[in-house]
Amino acid sequence: MNMRVGFVVDATCDLPDECLERYGVRILPNVLELGSRTWIDERDPEQTMMLYRRFISDRSVEARVNAASTAEIRDIFLQELVLDYDRVLVISAAAEFSDMHAHATEASYAILQEYRERRDEAERVGSFALRVLDSRSFGAGEGVVLCRALQLLDEAGRGFDKIRLTLRDELDRVRCLFVPGDPWYLRRRGVDGAGGGIGRGDYLLASVAGLKPVVELARGRRRLVARPRGFEAACARVMHEARRAIARGLGTPTLVLSFGGDPRVIRQMDAYQELEAAAIGAHLDLHLAVMSAGAGARLGPGTFSLAWLESL
């Protein structure tokens, strides 16, 4: 009997919907509170763009991003995953930035006694196992981890535990860079929703002098790596770094990009077209997605992000 392996991500994983659907990747929702209204964020493209236009772009709207509760995730596990798969790996946003990892881990323990009865009722033979992996990244970086998992699944002789352990060992090589469209969001809310994504001095330089911060997220930590003048120059700097990584060789043949708005803004940039040409020349997949509403609420509309896996 062939073992059925499935992957689950939370809604902050930035990959195009057609990619997630092609591989049957399940999404754990976030609960997005914008002002007095509450939305379930499941990466629905139309809803995401509506939220950017009507709510996320309004600084006066209070925003909170909450992971689905342990009970809600438990129900998803029991109602769907234990019947559809024999092994499931949940890839979450970094635990430093989201409660999804903690909630999914608690839910995985909660189903240990119940999943057997559920599978017996459906006449599903064989054992079931579910593991939760902290991606130590966010958004596009989380997307890179998922792409690597899918690549490992396609490789002959890779069992479920081998895939999980290989991913775990490679997480420190995931590099994610992002440029805020409006640094106010990064200063007031930040990746974790608690604010302080950049210091007061860097915020003033960005606001007054137009020096846009380029922030690196790696190993679950963030740091400021550059301050080009202007948003397009900052995006070009990030894409230049990606081209250099391509020249060195990547750990997986994929780059993931996301933008807090219409992706055509990025596609029209000369730097993107140069990156696209480099990716085609190196036979790489280039995935450009709309940044999740949850990430956009924290980082702000117009934020650009790019991630890849460094080679050894």
PDB file of all heavy atoms in Angstrom, residues 28-51:
ATOM      1  N   LEU A  28      -4.465  26.131   7.096  1.00  0.00           N
ATOM      2  CA  LEU A  28      -5.054  26.428   8.390  1.00  0.00           C
ATOM      3  C   LEU A  28      -5.320  27.924   8.447  1.00  0.00           C
ATOM      4  O   LEU A  28      -4.411  28.732   8.247  1.00  0.00           O
ATOM      5  CB  LEU A  28      -4.110  26.016   9.521  1.00  0.00           C
ATOM      6  CG  LEU A  28      -3.812  24.516   9.649  1.00  0.00           C
ATOM      7  CD1 LEU A  28      -2.829  24.279  10.793  1.00  0.00           C
ATOM      8  CD2 LEU A  28      -5.078  23.721   9.856  1.00  0.00           C
ATOM      9  N   PRO A  29      -6.560  28.336   8.711  1.00  0.00           N
ATOM     10  CA  PRO A  29      -6.904  29.757   8.622  1.00  0.00           C
ATOM     11  C   PRO A  29      -6.390  30.573   9.799  1.00  0.00           C
ATOM     12  O   PRO A  29      -6.132  30.057  10.889  1.00  0.00           O
ATOM     13  CB  PRO A  29      -8.436  29.725   8.614  1.00  0.00           C
ATOM     14  CG  PRO A  29      -8.779  28.496   9.390  1.00  0.00           C
ATOM     15  CD  PRO A  29      -7.712  27.484   9.047  1.00  0.00           C
ATOM     16  N   ASN A  30      -6.234  31.863   9.546  1.00  0.00           N
ATOM     17  CA  ASN A  30      -6.035  32.851  10.601  1.00  0.00           C
ATOM     18  C   ASN A  30      -7.321  33.647  10.765  1.00  0.00           C
ATOM     19  O   ASN A  30      -8.125  33.752   9.828  1.00  0.00           O
ATOM     20  CB  ASN A  30      -4.884  33.805  10.261  1.00  0.00           C
ATOM     21  CG  ASN A  30      -3.527  33.160  10.423  1.00  0.00           C
ATOM     22  OD1 ASN A  30      -3.279  32.449  11.390  1.00  0.00           O
ATOM     23  ND2 ASN A  30      -2.634  33.402   9.471  1.00  0.00           N
ATOM     24  N   VAL A  31      -7.508  34.202  11.937  1.00  0.00           N
ATOM     25  CA  VAL A  31      -8.654  35.071  12.200  1.00  0.00           C
ATOM     26  C   VAL A  31      -8.143  36.505  12.213  1.00  0.00           C
ATOM     27  O   VAL A  31      -7.280  36.861  13.017  1.00  0.00           O
ATOM     28  CB  VAL A  31      -9.331  34.723  13.536  1.00  0.00           C
ATOM     29  CG1 VAL A  31     -10.525  35.645  13.773  1.00  0.00           C
ATOM     30  CG2 VAL A  31      -9.775  33.267  13.541  1.00  0.00           C
ATOM     31  N   LEU A  32      -8.663  37.300  11.298  1.00  0.00           N
ATOM     32  CA  LEU A  32      -8.184  38.665  11.108  1.00  0.00           C
ATOM     33  C   LEU A  32      -9.228  39.647  11.624  1.00  0.00           C
ATOM     34  O   LEU A  32     -10.358  39.682  11.134  1.00  0.00           O
ATOM     35  CB  LEU A  32      -7.912  38.894   9.617  1.00  0.00           C
ATOM     36  CG  LEU A  32      -7.260  40.204   9.176  1.00  0.00           C
ATOM     37  CD1 LEU A  32      -5.918  40.381   9.859  1.00  0.00           C
ATOM     38  CD2 LEU A  32      -7.081  40.208   7.665  1.00  0.00           C
ATOM     39  N   GLU A  33      -8.858  40.424  12.633  1.00  0.00           N
ATOM     40  CA  GLU A  33      -9.743  41.431  13.193  1.00  0.00           C
ATOM     41  C   GLU A  33      -9.317  42.803  12.685  1.00  0.00           C
ATOM     42  O   GLU A  33      -8.213  43.266  12.972  1.00  0.00           O
ATOM     43  CB  GLU A  33      -9.701  41.408  14.717  1.00  0.00           C
ATOM     44  CG  GLU A  33     -10.163  40.100  15.334  1.00  0.00           C
ATOM     45  CD  GLU A  33     -10.035  40.091  16.840  1.00  0.00           C
ATOM     46  OE1 GLU A  33      -9.949  41.190  17.428  1.00  0.00           O
ATOM     47  OE2 GLU A  33     -10.007  38.998  17.423  1.00  0.00           O
ATOM     48  N   LEU A  34     -10.188  43.435  11.908  1.00  0.00           N
ATOM     49  CA  LEU A  34      -9.917  44.764  11.356  1.00  0.00           C
ATOM     50  C   LEU A  34     -11.024  45.690  11.830  1.00  0.00           C
ATOM     51  O   LEU A  34     -12.161  45.606  11.369  1.00  0.00           O
ATOM     52  CB  LEU A  34      -9.866  44.708   9.831  1.00  0.00           C
ATOM     53  CG  LEU A  34      -8.715  43.871   9.243  1.00  0.00           C
ATOM     54  CD1 LEU A  34      -8.892  43.687   7.747  1.00  0.00           C
ATOM     55  CD2 LEU A  34      -7.376  44.510   9.547  1.00  0.00           C
ATOM     56  N   GLY A  35     -10.672  46.547  12.770  1.00  0.00           N
ATOM     57  CA  GLY A  35     -11.695  47.397  13.363  1.00  0.00           C
ATOM     58  C   GLY A  35     -12.724  46.547  14.091  1.00  0.00           C
ATOM     59  O   GLY A  35     -12.384  45.676  14.894  1.00  0.00           O
ATOM     60  N   SER A  36     -13.984  46.763  13.773  1.00  0.00           N
ATOM     61  CA  SER A  36     -15.071  46.027  14.429  1.00  0.00           C
ATOM     62  C   SER A  36     -15.466  44.761  13.668  1.00  0.00           C
ATOM     63  O   SER A  36     -16.397  44.067  14.078  1.00  0.00           O
ATOM     64  CB  SER A  36     -16.298  46.936  14.568  1.00  0.00           C
ATOM     65  OG  SER A  36     -16.754  47.358  13.280  1.00  0.00           O
ATOM     66  N   ARG A  37     -14.770  44.460  12.569  1.00  0.00           N
ATOM     67  CA  ARG A  37     -15.149  43.325  11.747  1.00  0.00           C
ATOM     68  C   ARG A  37     -14.105  42.211  11.841  1.00  0.00           C
ATOM     69  O   ARG A  37     -12.917  42.464  12.040  1.00  0.00           O
ATOM     70  CB  ARG A  37     -15.330  43.756  10.291  1.00  0.00           C
ATOM     71  CG  ARG A  37     -16.348  44.881  10.127  1.00  0.00           C
ATOM     72  CD  ARG A  37     -16.662  45.169   8.679  1.00  0.00           C
ATOM     73  NE  ARG A  37     -17.350  44.048   8.040  1.00  0.00           N
ATOM     74  CZ  ARG A  37     -17.821  44.101   6.790  1.00  0.00           C
ATOM     75  NH1 ARG A  37     -17.673  45.206   6.073  1.00  0.00           N
ATOM     76  NH2 ARG A  37     -18.435  43.063   6.266  1.00  0.00           N
ATOM     77  N   THR A  38     -14.589  40.993  11.682  1.00  0.00           N
ATOM     78  CA  THR A  38     -13.733  39.820  11.770  1.00  0.00           C
ATOM     79  C   THR A  38     -13.812  39.032  10.465  1.00  0.00           C
ATOM     80  O   THR A  38     -14.900  38.810   9.930  1.00  0.00           O
ATOM     81  CB  THR A  38     -14.155  38.912  12.942  1.00  0.00           C
ATOM     82  OG1 THR A  38     -14.058  39.652  14.171  1.00  0.00           O
ATOM     83  CG2 THR A  38     -13.257  37.682  13.029  1.00  0.00           C
ATOM     84  N   TRP A  39     -12.651  38.605   9.992  1.00  0.00           N
ATOM     85  CA  TRP A  39     -12.570  37.853   8.740  1.00  0.00           C
ATOM     86  C   TRP A  39     -11.783  36.574   8.965  1.00  0.00           C
ATOM     87  O   TRP A  39     -10.836  36.541   9.751  1.00  0.00           O
ATOM     88  CB  TRP A  39     -11.866  38.680   7.655  1.00  0.00           C
ATOM     89  CG  TRP A  39     -12.481  40.020   7.432  1.00  0.00           C
ATOM     90  CD1 TRP A  39     -12.206  41.172   8.116  1.00  0.00           C
ATOM     91  CD2 TRP A  39     -13.475  40.362   6.473  1.00  0.00           C
ATOM     92  NE1 TRP A  39     -12.963  42.201   7.637  1.00  0.00           N
ATOM     93  CE2 TRP A  39     -13.763  41.736   6.626  1.00  0.00           C
ATOM     94  CE3 TRP A  39     -14.149  39.638   5.486  1.00  0.00           C
ATOM     95  CZ2 TRP A  39     -14.679  42.398   5.833  1.00  0.00           C
ATOM     96  CZ3 TRP A  39     -15.078  40.303   4.695  1.00  0.00           C
ATOM     97  CH2 TRP A  39     -15.336  41.658   4.872  1.00  0.00           C
ATOM     98  N   ILE A  40     -12.161  35.523   8.267  1.00  0.00           N
ATOM     99  CA  ILE A  40     -11.384  34.287   8.257  1.00  0.00           C
ATOM    100  C   ILE A  40     -10.457  34.345   7.053  1.00  0.00           C
ATOM    101  O   ILE A  40     -10.916  34.407   5.903  1.00  0.00           O
ATOM    102  CB  ILE A  40     -12.297  33.045   8.161  1.00  0.00           C
ATOM    103  CG1 ILE A  40     -13.299  33.039   9.318  1.00  0.00           C
ATOM    104  CG2 ILE A  40     -11.455  31.777   8.166  1.00  0.00           C
ATOM    105  CD1 ILE A  40     -12.660  32.993  10.686  1.00  0.00           C
ATOM    106  N   ASP A  41      -9.170  34.352   7.319  1.00  0.00           N
ATOM    107  CA  ASP A  41      -8.171  34.447   6.246  1.00  0.00           C
ATOM    108  C   ASP A  41      -7.742  33.047   5.825  1.00  0.00           C
ATOM    109  O   ASP A  41      -7.057  32.349   6.562  1.00  0.00           O
ATOM    110  CB  ASP A  41      -6.968  35.251   6.742  1.00  0.00           C
ATOM    111  CG  ASP A  41      -5.873  35.376   5.688  1.00  0.00           C
ATOM    112  OD1 ASP A  41      -6.155  35.099   4.500  1.00  0.00           O
ATOM    113  OD2 ASP A  41      -4.735  35.748   6.053  1.00  0.00           O
ATOM    114  N   GLU A  42      -8.168  32.643   4.635  1.00  0.00           N
ATOM    115  CA  GLU A  42      -7.784  31.352   4.060  1.00  0.00           C
ATOM    116  C   GLU A  42      -7.104  31.535   2.704  1.00  0.00           C
ATOM    117  O   GLU A  42      -7.112  30.643   1.872  1.00  0.00           O
ATOM    118  CB  GLU A  42      -9.011  30.457   3.905  1.00  0.00           C
ATOM    119  CG  GLU A  42      -9.659  30.082   5.226  1.00  0.00           C
ATOM    120  CD  GLU A  42     -10.855  29.174   5.046  1.00  0.00           C
ATOM    121  OE1 GLU A  42     -11.857  29.621   4.431  1.00  0.00           O
ATOM    122  OE2 GLU A  42     -10.788  28.020   5.506  1.00  0.00           O
ATOM    123  N   ARG A  43      -6.553  32.728   2.487  1.00  0.00           N
ATOM    124  CA  ARG A  43      -5.863  33.054   1.243  1.00  0.00           C
ATOM    125  C   ARG A  43      -6.814  33.072   0.045  1.00  0.00           C
ATOM    126  O   ARG A  43      -6.419  32.718  -1.061  1.00  0.00           O
ATOM    127  CB  ARG A  43      -4.696  32.089   0.963  1.00  0.00           C
ATOM    128  CG  ARG A  43      -3.563  32.185   1.963  1.00  0.00           C
ATOM    129  CD  ARG A  43      -2.282  31.598   1.401  1.00  0.00           C
ATOM    130  NE  ARG A  43      -1.875  32.282   0.174  1.00  0.00           N
ATOM    131  CZ  ARG A  43      -1.151  33.405   0.152  1.00  0.00           C
ATOM    132  NH1 ARG A  43      -0.749  33.948   1.277  1.00  0.00           N
ATOM    133  NH2 ARG A  43      -0.840  33.956  -1.001  1.00  0.00           N
ATOM    134  N   ASP A  44      -8.035  33.491   0.248  1.00  0.00           N
ATOM    135  CA  ASP A  44      -8.949  33.675  -0.876  1.00  0.00           C
ATOM    136  C   ASP A  44      -8.528  34.929  -1.636  1.00  0.00           C
ATOM    137  O   ASP A  44      -8.480  36.017  -1.059  1.00  0.00           O
ATOM    138  CB  ASP A  44     -10.383  33.823  -0.378  1.00  0.00           C
ATOM    139  CG  ASP A  44     -11.345  34.128  -1.502  1.00  0.00           C
ATOM    140  OD1 ASP A  44     -11.768  33.185  -2.194  1.00  0.00           O
ATOM    141  OD2 ASP A  44     -11.659  35.322  -1.708  1.00  0.00           O
ATOM    142  N   PRO A  45      -8.195  34.821  -2.930  1.00  0.00           N
ATOM    143  CA  PRO A  45      -7.623  35.963  -3.661  1.00  0.00           C
ATOM    144  C   PRO A  45      -8.523  37.200  -3.676  1.00  0.00           C
ATOM    145  O   PRO A  45      -8.047  38.323  -3.443  1.00  0.00           O
ATOM    146  CB  PRO A  45      -7.421  35.409  -5.083  1.00  0.00           C
ATOM    147  CG  PRO A  45      -7.349  33.931  -4.910  1.00  0.00           C
ATOM    148  CD  PRO A  45      -8.250  33.603  -3.762  1.00  0.00           C
ATOM    149  N   GLU A  46      -9.814  37.028  -3.964  1.00  0.00           N
ATOM    150  CA  GLU A  46     -10.711  38.181  -4.038  1.00  0.00           C
ATOM    151  C   GLU A  46     -10.865  38.850  -2.676  1.00  0.00           C
ATOM    152  O   GLU A  46     -10.841  40.078  -2.571  1.00  0.00           O
ATOM    153  CB  GLU A  46     -12.073  37.751  -4.584  1.00  0.00           C
ATOM    154  CG  GLU A  46     -12.037  37.321  -6.047  1.00  0.00           C
ATOM    155  CD  GLU A  46     -13.419  37.016  -6.586  1.00  0.00           C
ATOM    156  OE1 GLU A  46     -14.413  37.249  -5.858  1.00  0.00           O
ATOM    157  OE2 GLU A  46     -13.504  36.527  -7.731  1.00  0.00           O
ATOM    158  N   GLN A  47     -11.023  38.049  -1.633  1.00  0.00           N
ATOM    159  CA  GLN A  47     -11.164  38.631  -0.303  1.00  0.00           C
ATOM    160  C   GLN A  47      -9.892  39.358   0.109  1.00  0.00           C
ATOM    161  O   GLN A  47      -9.945  40.452   0.681  1.00  0.00           O
ATOM    162  CB  GLN A  47     -11.487  37.542   0.721  1.00  0.00           C
ATOM    163  CG  GLN A  47     -11.524  38.068   2.151  1.00  0.00           C
ATOM    164  CD  GLN A  47     -11.836  36.990   3.165  1.00  0.00           C
ATOM    165  OE1 GLN A  47     -12.985  36.603   3.326  1.00  0.00           O
ATOM    166  NE2 GLN A  47     -10.813  36.499   3.856  1.00  0.00           N
ATOM    167  N   THR A  48      -8.738  38.755  -0.193  1.00  0.00           N
ATOM    168  CA  THR A  48      -7.468  39.367   0.190  1.00  0.00           C
ATOM    169  C   THR A  48      -7.305  40.740  -0.445  1.00  0.00           C
ATOM    170  O   THR A  48      -6.936  41.714   0.234  1.00  0.00           O
ATOM    171  CB  THR A  48      -6.295  38.460  -0.216  1.00  0.00           C
ATOM    172  OG1 THR A  48      -6.414  37.204   0.470  1.00  0.00           O
ATOM    173  CG2 THR A  48      -4.961  39.091   0.148  1.00  0.00           C
ATOM    174  N   MET A  49      -7.574  40.859  -1.746  1.00  0.00           N
ATOM    175  CA  MET A  49      -7.434  42.149  -2.413  1.00  0.00           C
ATOM    176  C   MET A  49      -8.457  43.155  -1.886  1.00  0.00           C
ATOM    177  O   MET A  49      -8.158  44.350  -1.745  1.00  0.00           O
ATOM    178  CB  MET A  49      -7.588  41.967  -3.927  1.00  0.00           C
ATOM    179  CG  MET A  49      -6.423  41.218  -4.578  1.00  0.00           C
ATOM    180  SD  MET A  49      -4.801  41.981  -4.243  1.00  0.00           S
ATOM    181  CE  MET A  49      -5.027  43.592  -4.991  1.00  0.00           C
ATOM    182  N   MET A  50      -9.658  42.703  -1.559  1.00  0.00           N
ATOM    183  CA  MET A  50     -10.662  43.597  -0.982  1.00  0.00           C
ATOM    184  C   MET A  50     -10.188  44.129   0.368  1.00  0.00           C
ATOM    185  O   MET A  50     -10.346  45.319   0.678  1.00  0.00           O
ATOM    186  CB  MET A  50     -11.990  42.854  -0.841  1.00  0.00           C
ATOM    187  CG  MET A  50     -13.141  43.694  -0.264  1.00  0.00           C
ATOM    188  SD  MET A  50     -13.160  43.761   1.546  1.00  0.00           S
ATOM    189  CE  MET A  50     -13.572  42.041   1.921  1.00  0.00           C
ATOM    190  N   LEU A  51      -9.597  43.260   1.186  1.00  0.00           N
ATOM    191  CA  LEU A  51      -9.114  43.689   2.495  1.00  0.00           C
ATOM    192  C   LEU A  51      -7.986  44.709   2.356  1.00  0.00           C
ATOM    193  O   LEU A  51      -7.911  45.669   3.128  1.00  0.00           O
ATOM    194  CB  LEU A  51      -8.645  42.478   3.305  1.00  0.00           C
ATOM    195  CG  LEU A  51      -9.757  41.506   3.736  1.00  0.00           C
ATOM    196  CD1 LEU A  51      -9.156  40.282   4.421  1.00  0.00           C
ATOM    197  CD2 LEU A  51     -10.758  42.185   4.658  1.00  0.00           C
TER     198      LEU A  51
END
